[in-house]
């Protein structure tokens, strides 16, 4: 993730939840001039993470806990990457890697 332009740091952890689901969670620090540009940096970082999980055949790994963060406190979640997510009531712990496969051209 640190190879993505605009990513200045990442603090991610992996594990297994109490319901035995694998997860990746933590923060990705994004440096950008605007929130739109910050979201684009976060999007590219998530592309890298999702592509890696796809290659490992980990499509059901929960990635909803990966948050993008800008220096001004602006934060991004995977819900902002796909307009099909019902953002009013969609839970981040339901967002798995496979849910972003179409966005990144993965099958």
């Amino acid at each position: 993730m640190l190879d993505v332009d605009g990513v200045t740091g990442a603090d991610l952890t992996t594990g297994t939840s109490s319901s035995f689901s694998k997860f990746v969670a933590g923060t990705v620090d994004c440096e950008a001039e605007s929130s739109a540009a910050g979201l684009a940096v976060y999007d590219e970082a998530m592309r890298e993470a999702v592509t890696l999980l796809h290659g490992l055949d980990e499509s059901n790994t929960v990635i909803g806990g990966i948050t993008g963060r800008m220096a001004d406190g602006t934060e991004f979640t995977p819900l902002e990457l796909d307009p099909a997510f019902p953002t009013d009531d969609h839970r981040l712990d339901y967002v798995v890697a496979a849910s972003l496969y179409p966005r990144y051209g993965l099958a």
Side-chain angles (χ1 to χ4, degrees), residues 31-72:
E31 183 177 356
E33 295 295 319
S34 67
S35 59
L39 182 60
V41 170
Y42 174 68
D43 190 14
E44 285 305 309
M46 290 299 289
R47 175 189 303 275
E48 188 173 298
V50 169
T51 301
L52 174 68
L53 291 168
H54 177 264
L56 296 172
D57 199 26
E58 294 289 342
S59 62
N60 289 322
T61 298
V62 175
I63 59 166
I66 301 174
T67 302
R69 180 178 56 202
M70 293 181 54
D72 68 0

Side-chain angles (χ1 to χ4, degrees), residues 1-14:
M1 230 178 241
L2 295 176
D3 293 339
V4 174
D5 286 341
V7 172
T8 58
D11 183 16
L12 301 174
T13 59
T14 61

